[in-house]
PDB file of all heavy atoms in Angstrom:
ATOM      1  N   HIS A   3      30.316  -2.299  11.684  1.00  0.00           N
ATOM      2  CA  HIS A   3      31.656  -2.064  11.098  1.00  0.00           C
ATOM      3  C   HIS A   3      32.742  -2.769  11.773  1.00  0.00           C
ATOM      4  O   HIS A   3      33.679  -3.376  11.211  1.00  0.00           O
ATOM      5  CB  HIS A   3      31.962  -0.478  11.149  1.00  0.00           C
ATOM      6  CG  HIS A   3      33.263  -0.110  10.535  1.00  0.00           C
ATOM      7  ND1 HIS A   3      34.449  -0.064  11.349  1.00  0.00           N
ATOM      8  CD2 HIS A   3      33.585   0.257   9.333  1.00  0.00           C
ATOM      9  CE1 HIS A   3      35.412   0.385  10.539  1.00  0.00           C
ATOM     10  NE2 HIS A   3      34.949   0.555   9.358  1.00  0.00           N
ATOM     11  N   GLU A   4      32.636  -2.868  13.170  1.00  0.00           N
ATOM     12  CA  GLU A   4      33.633  -3.610  13.910  1.00  0.00           C
ATOM     13  C   GLU A   4      33.571  -5.163  13.595  1.00  0.00           C
ATOM     14  O   GLU A   4      34.633  -5.676  13.471  1.00  0.00           O
ATOM     15  CB  GLU A   4      33.343  -3.391  15.435  1.00  0.00           C
ATOM     16  CG  GLU A   4      34.337  -4.080  16.268  1.00  0.00           C
ATOM     17  CD  GLU A   4      35.698  -3.684  16.308  1.00  0.00           C
ATOM     18  OE1 GLU A   4      35.936  -2.424  15.828  1.00  0.00           O
ATOM     19  OE2 GLU A   4      36.612  -4.409  16.696  1.00  0.00           O
ATOM     20  N   ILE A   5      32.326  -5.616  13.496  1.00  0.00           N
ATOM     21  CA  ILE A   5      32.190  -7.010  13.145  1.00  0.00           C
ATOM     22  C   ILE A   5      32.706  -7.291  11.772  1.00  0.00           C
ATOM     23  O   ILE A   5      33.490  -8.216  11.594  1.00  0.00           O
ATOM     24  CB  ILE A   5      30.636  -7.396  13.233  1.00  0.00           C
ATOM     25  CG1 ILE A   5      30.195  -7.430  14.724  1.00  0.00           C
ATOM     26  CG2 ILE A   5      30.434  -8.811  12.525  1.00  0.00           C
ATOM     27  CD1 ILE A   5      28.779  -7.677  14.877  1.00  0.00           C
ATOM     28  N   MET A   6      32.400  -6.514  10.857  1.00  0.00           N
ATOM     29  CA  MET A   6      32.832  -6.732   9.408  1.00  0.00           C
ATOM     30  C   MET A   6      34.324  -6.650   9.246  1.00  0.00           C
ATOM     31  O   MET A   6      34.962  -7.518   8.583  1.00  0.00           O
ATOM     32  CB  MET A   6      32.121  -5.721   8.519  1.00  0.00           C
ATOM     33  CG  MET A   6      31.973  -6.314   7.048  1.00  0.00           C
ATOM     34  SD  MET A   6      30.955  -7.767   6.907  1.00  0.00           S
ATOM     35  CE  MET A   6      32.075  -8.755   6.006  1.00  0.00           C
ATOM     36  N   THR A   7      34.949  -5.774  10.025  1.00  0.00           N
ATOM     37  CA  THR A   7      36.403  -5.590   9.922  1.00  0.00           C
ATOM     38  C   THR A   7      37.104  -6.750  10.366  1.00  0.00           C
ATOM     39  O   THR A   7      38.053  -7.282   9.751  1.00  0.00           O
ATOM     40  CB  THR A   7      36.833  -4.272  10.720  1.00  0.00           C
ATOM     41  OG1 THR A   7      36.189  -3.105  10.010  1.00  0.00           O
ATOM     42  CG2 THR A   7      38.282  -4.094  10.558  1.00  0.00           C
ATOM     43  N   SER A   8      36.568  -7.312  11.541  1.00  0.00           N
ATOM     44  CA  SER A   8      37.320  -8.531  12.156  1.00  0.00           C
ATOM     45  C   SER A   8      37.096  -9.689  11.180  1.00  0.00           C
ATOM     46  O   SER A   8      38.058 -10.519  11.052  1.00  0.00           O
ATOM     47  CB  SER A   8      36.783  -8.739  13.530  1.00  0.00           C
ATOM     48  OG  SER A   8      35.356  -9.052  13.526  1.00  0.00           O
ATOM     49  N   LEU A   9      35.872  -9.881  10.570  1.00  0.00           N
ATOM     50  CA  LEU A   9      35.673 -11.001   9.772  1.00  0.00           C
ATOM     51  C   LEU A   9      36.545 -10.887   8.534  1.00  0.00           C
ATOM     52  O   LEU A   9      37.155 -11.925   8.109  1.00  0.00           O
ATOM     53  CB  LEU A   9      34.201 -11.080   9.313  1.00  0.00           C
ATOM     54  CG  LEU A   9      33.272 -11.455  10.484  1.00  0.00           C
ATOM     55  CD1 LEU A   9      31.756 -11.086   9.870  1.00  0.00           C
ATOM     56  CD2 LEU A   9      33.415 -12.826  10.961  1.00  0.00           C
ATOM     57  N   MET A  10      36.697  -9.659   7.905  1.00  0.00           N
ATOM     58  CA  MET A  10      37.548  -9.483   6.687  1.00  0.00           C
ATOM     59  C   MET A  10      38.898  -9.758   7.051  1.00  0.00           C
ATOM     60  O   MET A  10      39.713 -10.528   6.278  1.00  0.00           O
ATOM     61  CB  MET A  10      37.472  -8.056   6.307  1.00  0.00           C
ATOM     62  CG  MET A  10      36.115  -7.661   5.651  1.00  0.00           C
ATOM     63  SD  MET A  10      36.066  -5.871   5.366  1.00  0.00           S
ATOM     64  CE  MET A  10      37.583  -5.678   4.352  1.00  0.00           C
ATOM     65  N   GLU A  11      39.460  -9.334   8.072  1.00  0.00           N
ATOM     66  CA  GLU A  11      40.798  -9.561   8.486  1.00  0.00           C
ATOM     67  C   GLU A  11      41.130 -11.014   8.725  1.00  0.00           C
ATOM     68  O   GLU A  11      42.221 -11.553   8.382  1.00  0.00           O
ATOM     69  CB  GLU A  11      41.243  -8.729   9.707  1.00  0.00           C
ATOM     70  CG  GLU A  11      41.267  -7.219   9.512  1.00  0.00           C
ATOM     71  CD  GLU A  11      41.686  -6.426  10.676  1.00  0.00           C
ATOM     72  OE1 GLU A  11      41.683  -7.042  11.809  1.00  0.00           O
ATOM     73  OE2 GLU A  11      41.850  -5.197  10.579  1.00  0.00           O
ATOM     74  N   TYR A  12      40.195 -11.681   9.404  1.00  0.00           N
ATOM     75  CA  TYR A  12      40.396 -13.140   9.575  1.00  0.00           C
ATOM     76  C   TYR A  12      40.388 -13.905   8.236  1.00  0.00           C
ATOM     77  O   TYR A  12      41.211 -14.797   8.056  1.00  0.00           O
ATOM     78  CB  TYR A  12      39.306 -13.688  10.433  1.00  0.00           C
ATOM     79  CG  TYR A  12      39.536 -15.055  11.092  1.00  0.00           C
ATOM     80  CD1 TYR A  12      40.278 -15.203  12.219  1.00  0.00           C
ATOM     81  CD2 TYR A  12      39.024 -16.227  10.425  1.00  0.00           C
ATOM     82  CE1 TYR A  12      40.549 -16.429  12.745  1.00  0.00           C
ATOM     83  CE2 TYR A  12      39.324 -17.469  10.995  1.00  0.00           C
ATOM     84  CZ  TYR A  12      40.070 -17.561  12.080  1.00  0.00           C
ATOM     85  OH  TYR A  12      40.319 -18.757  12.592  1.00  0.00           O
ATOM     86  N   ILE A  13      39.525 -13.559   7.435  1.00  0.00           N
ATOM     87  CA  ILE A  13      39.397 -14.250   6.123  1.00  0.00           C
ATOM     88  C   ILE A  13      40.644 -14.172   5.240  1.00  0.00           C
ATOM     89  O   ILE A  13      40.999 -14.953   4.442  1.00  0.00           O
ATOM     90  CB  ILE A  13      38.091 -13.737   5.331  1.00  0.00           C
ATOM     91  CG1 ILE A  13      36.861 -14.461   5.910  1.00  0.00           C
ATOM     92  CG2 ILE A  13      38.131 -14.235   3.862  1.00  0.00           C
ATOM     93  CD1 ILE A  13      35.509 -13.949   5.422  1.00  0.00           C
ATOM     94  N   CYS A  14      41.259 -12.888   5.405  1.00  0.00           N
ATOM     95  CA  CYS A  14      42.470 -12.698   4.628  1.00  0.00           C
ATOM     96  C   CYS A  14      43.591 -13.627   4.910  1.00  0.00           C
ATOM     97  O   CYS A  14      44.529 -13.840   4.186  1.00  0.00           O
ATOM     98  CB  CYS A  14      43.024 -11.213   4.847  1.00  0.00           C
ATOM     99  SG  CYS A  14      41.952 -10.015   4.121  1.00  0.00           S
ATOM    100  N   LYS A  15      43.485 -14.290   6.089  1.00  0.00           N
ATOM    101  CA  LYS A  15      44.501 -15.381   6.433  1.00  0.00           C
ATOM    102  C   LYS A  15      44.152 -16.693   6.068  1.00  0.00           C
ATOM    103  O   LYS A  15      45.016 -17.575   6.264  1.00  0.00           O
ATOM    104  CB  LYS A  15      44.572 -15.321   7.967  1.00  0.00           C
ATOM    105  CG  LYS A  15      44.898 -14.008   8.656  1.00  0.00           C
ATOM    106  CD  LYS A  15      44.749 -14.019  10.228  1.00  0.00           C
ATOM    107  CE  LYS A  15      44.920 -12.566  10.764  1.00  0.00           C
ATOM    108  NZ  LYS A  15      44.717 -12.566  12.225  1.00  0.00           N
ATOM    109  N   LEU A  16      43.093 -16.960   5.374  1.00  0.00           N
ATOM    110  CA  LEU A  16      42.569 -18.206   5.009  1.00  0.00           C
ATOM    111  C   LEU A  16      42.971 -18.531   3.573  1.00  0.00           C
ATOM    112  O   LEU A  16      42.567 -17.780   2.697  1.00  0.00           O
ATOM    113  CB  LEU A  16      41.116 -18.388   5.148  1.00  0.00           C
ATOM    114  CG  LEU A  16      40.514 -18.130   6.650  1.00  0.00           C
ATOM    115  CD1 LEU A  16      39.070 -18.130   6.685  1.00  0.00           C
ATOM    116  CD2 LEU A  16      41.115 -19.030   7.603  1.00  0.00           C
ATOM    117  N   ASP A  17      43.788 -19.491   3.331  1.00  0.00           N
ATOM    118  CA  ASP A  17      44.421 -19.932   2.104  1.00  0.00           C
ATOM    119  C   ASP A  17      43.349 -20.443   1.054  1.00  0.00           C
ATOM    120  O   ASP A  17      43.446 -20.245  -0.054  1.00  0.00           O
ATOM    121  CB  ASP A  17      45.471 -20.934   2.201  1.00  0.00           C
ATOM    122  CG  ASP A  17      46.724 -20.318   2.932  1.00  0.00           C
ATOM    123  OD1 ASP A  17      46.863 -19.086   2.852  1.00  0.00           O
ATOM    124  OD2 ASP A  17      47.404 -21.128   3.462  1.00  0.00           O
ATOM    125  N   ASN A  18      42.293 -21.083   1.583  1.00  0.00           N
ATOM    126  CA  ASN A  18      41.321 -21.725   0.789  1.00  0.00           C
ATOM    127  C   ASN A  18      40.190 -20.753   0.320  1.00  0.00           C
ATOM    128  O   ASN A  18      39.286 -21.270  -0.500  1.00  0.00           O
ATOM    129  CB  ASN A  18      40.743 -22.938   1.466  1.00  0.00           C
ATOM    130  CG  ASN A  18      41.656 -24.123   1.453  1.00  0.00           C
ATOM    131  OD1 ASN A  18      42.690 -24.065   0.933  1.00  0.00           O
ATOM    132  ND2 ASN A  18      41.331 -25.081   2.452  1.00  0.00           N
ATOM    133  N   VAL A  19      40.122 -19.601   0.736  1.00  0.00           N
ATOM    134  CA  VAL A  19      39.006 -18.643   0.502  1.00  0.00           C
ATOM    135  C   VAL A  19      39.429 -17.701  -0.610  1.00  0.00           C
ATOM    136  O   VAL A  19      40.394 -16.883  -0.325  1.00  0.00           O
ATOM    137  CB  VAL A  19      38.468 -17.966   1.773  1.00  0.00           C
ATOM    138  CG1 VAL A  19      37.337 -17.017   1.366  1.00  0.00           C
ATOM    139  CG2 VAL A  19      37.953 -19.010   2.865  1.00  0.00           C
ATOM    140  N   THR A  20      38.739 -17.732  -1.633  1.00  0.00           N
ATOM    141  CA  THR A  20      39.032 -16.649  -2.707  1.00  0.00           C
ATOM    142  C   THR A  20      37.864 -15.709  -2.722  1.00  0.00           C
ATOM    143  O   THR A  20      36.616 -16.084  -2.810  1.00  0.00           O
ATOM    144  CB  THR A  20      39.139 -17.332  -4.065  1.00  0.00           C
ATOM    145  OG1 THR A  20      40.309 -18.261  -4.031  1.00  0.00           O
ATOM    146  CG2 THR A  20      39.335 -16.289  -5.214  1.00  0.00           C
ATOM    147  N   VAL A  21      38.126 -14.344  -2.780  1.00  0.00           N
ATOM    148  CA  VAL A  21      37.072 -13.366  -2.841  1.00  0.00           C
ATOM    149  C   VAL A  21      37.136 -12.679  -4.176  1.00  0.00           C
ATOM    150  O   VAL A  21      38.128 -12.162  -4.661  1.00  0.00           O
ATOM    151  CB  VAL A  21      37.269 -12.237  -1.679  1.00  0.00           C
ATOM    152  CG1 VAL A  21      36.288 -11.179  -1.851  1.00  0.00           C
ATOM    153  CG2 VAL A  21      37.281 -12.883  -0.285  1.00  0.00           C
ATOM    154  N   LEU A  22      35.935 -12.766  -4.931  1.00  0.00           N
ATOM    155  CA  LEU A  22      35.885 -12.064  -6.134  1.00  0.00           C
ATOM    156  C   LEU A  22      34.837 -10.818  -5.933  1.00  0.00           C
ATOM    157  O   LEU A  22      33.792 -10.905  -5.520  1.00  0.00           O
ATOM    158  CB  LEU A  22      35.124 -13.069  -7.205  1.00  0.00           C
ATOM    159  CG  LEU A  22      35.924 -14.298  -7.519  1.00  0.00           C
ATOM    160  CD1 LEU A  22      35.098 -15.010  -8.587  1.00  0.00           C
ATOM    161  CD2 LEU A  22      37.260 -13.938  -8.027  1.00  0.00           C
ATOM    162  N   GLU A  23      35.405  -9.669  -6.295  1.00  0.00           N
ATOM    163  CA  GLU A  23      34.690  -8.415  -6.137  1.00  0.00           C
ATOM    164  C   GLU A  23      34.084  -7.949  -7.409  1.00  0.00           C
ATOM    165  O   GLU A  23      34.611  -8.384  -8.530  1.00  0.00           O
ATOM    166  CB  GLU A  23      35.507  -7.395  -5.495  1.00  0.00           C
ATOM    167  CG  GLU A  23      36.027  -7.696  -4.135  1.00  0.00           C
ATOM    168  CD  GLU A  23      36.906  -6.623  -3.422  1.00  0.00           C
ATOM    169  OE1 GLU A  23      37.681  -5.976  -4.272  1.00  0.00           O
ATOM    170  OE2 GLU A  23      36.763  -6.363  -2.378  1.00  0.00           O
ATOM    171  N   ASP A  24      33.008  -7.139  -7.366  1.00  0.00           N
ATOM    172  CA  ASP A  24      32.458  -6.499  -8.594  1.00  0.00           C
ATOM    173  C   ASP A  24      32.018  -7.508  -9.509  1.00  0.00           C
ATOM    174  O   ASP A  24      32.051  -7.439 -10.730  1.00  0.00           O
ATOM    175  CB  ASP A  24      33.411  -5.553  -9.294  1.00  0.00           C
ATOM    176  CG  ASP A  24      33.738  -4.280  -8.357  1.00  0.00           C
ATOM    177  OD1 ASP A  24      32.752  -3.802  -7.822  1.00  0.00           O
ATOM    178  OD2 ASP A  24      34.876  -3.826  -8.386  1.00  0.00           O
ATOM    179  N   VAL A  25      31.317  -8.599  -9.067  1.00  0.00           N
ATOM    180  CA  VAL A  25      30.636  -9.632  -9.833  1.00  0.00           C
ATOM    181  C   VAL A  25      29.277  -9.864  -9.360  1.00  0.00           C
ATOM    182  O   VAL A  25      29.034  -9.818  -8.183  1.00  0.00           O
ATOM    183  CB  VAL A  25      31.441 -10.932  -9.888  1.00  0.00           C
ATOM    184  CG1 VAL A  25      32.728 -10.745 -10.657  1.00  0.00           C
ATOM    185  CG2 VAL A  25      31.590 -11.486  -8.530  1.00  0.00           C
ATOM    186  N   MET A  26      28.286  -9.822 -10.220  1.00  0.00           N
ATOM    187  CA  MET A  26      26.896  -9.940  -9.861  1.00  0.00           C
ATOM    188  C   MET A  26      26.264 -11.239 -10.224  1.00  0.00           C
ATOM    189  O   MET A  26      26.295 -11.560 -11.615  1.00  0.00           O
ATOM    190  CB  MET A  26      26.138  -8.760 -10.475  1.00  0.00           C
ATOM    191  CG  MET A  26      24.647  -8.770 -10.307  1.00  0.00           C
ATOM    192  SD  MET A  26      23.852  -7.399 -11.164  1.00  0.00           S
ATOM    193  CE  MET A  26      22.074  -7.874 -10.999  1.00  0.00           C
ATOM    194  N   ALA A  27      25.738 -12.015  -9.436  1.00  0.00           N
ATOM    195  CA  ALA A  27      25.051 -13.248  -9.822  1.00  0.00           C
ATOM    196  C   ALA A  27      23.849 -12.936 -10.498  1.00  0.00           C
ATOM    197  O   ALA A  27      22.989 -12.044  -9.996  1.00  0.00           O
ATOM    198  CB  ALA A  27      24.791 -14.181  -8.549  1.00  0.00           C
ATOM    199  N   ILE A  28      23.546 -13.441 -11.611  1.00  0.00           N
ATOM    200  CA  ILE A  28      22.249 -13.133 -12.404  1.00  0.00           C
ATOM    201  C   ILE A  28      21.389 -14.377 -12.601  1.00  0.00           C
ATOM    202  O   ILE A  28      20.306 -14.196 -12.968  1.00  0.00           O
ATOM    203  CB  ILE A  28      22.556 -12.471 -13.718  1.00  0.00           C
ATOM    204  CG1 ILE A  28      23.515 -13.343 -14.627  1.00  0.00           C
ATOM    205  CG2 ILE A  28      23.191 -11.155 -13.610  1.00  0.00           C
ATOM    206  CD1 ILE A  28      23.840 -12.918 -16.069  1.00  0.00           C
ATOM    207  N   LYS A  29      21.886 -15.567 -12.433  1.00  0.00           N
ATOM    208  CA  LYS A  29      21.109 -16.732 -12.606  1.00  0.00           C
ATOM    209  C   LYS A  29      21.761 -17.956 -11.856  1.00  0.00           C
ATOM    210  O   LYS A  29      23.036 -18.154 -12.028  1.00  0.00           O
ATOM    211  CB  LYS A  29      20.854 -17.071 -14.022  1.00  0.00           C
ATOM    212  CG  LYS A  29      20.000 -18.320 -14.183  1.00  0.00           C
ATOM    213  CD  LYS A  29      19.750 -18.526 -15.727  1.00  0.00           C
ATOM    214  CE  LYS A  29      19.011 -19.843 -16.032  1.00  0.00           C
ATOM    215  NZ  LYS A  29      17.661 -19.891 -15.290  1.00  0.00           N
ATOM    216  N   LEU A  30      20.943 -18.706 -11.135  1.00  0.00           N
ATOM    217  CA  LEU A  30      21.480 -19.989 -10.540  1.00  0.00           C
ATOM    218  C   LEU A  30      21.575 -20.998 -11.572  1.00  0.00           C
ATOM    219  O   LEU A  30      20.707 -21.059 -12.553  1.00  0.00           O
ATOM    220  CB  LEU A  30      20.642 -20.391  -9.347  1.00  0.00           C
ATOM    221  CG  LEU A  30      20.600 -19.433  -8.078  1.00  0.00           C
ATOM    222  CD1 LEU A  30      19.528 -19.981  -7.142  1.00  0.00           C
ATOM    223  CD2 LEU A  30      21.988 -19.364  -7.453  1.00  0.00           C
TER     224      LEU A  30
END
């Protein structure tokens, strides 16, 4: 939990990273 929280907070500061939630990959 500590590791994930720190990674999330850091990523929130990155302009080039977009996070899409509630999407499931079904085929490459």
Side-chain angles (χ1 to χ4, degrees):
H3 182 273
E4 180 66 23
I5 289 173
M6 202 65 233
T7 299
S8 66
L9 293 170
M10 287 171 58
E11 290 179 352
Y12 193 86
I13 284 175
C14 287
K15 304 171 186 176
L16 302 176
D17 293 335
N18 285 344
V19 179
T20 300
V21 176
L22 299 181
E23 297 181 319
D24 291 319
V25 293
M26 173 185 172
I28 56 177
K29 182 177 173 57
L30 296 174

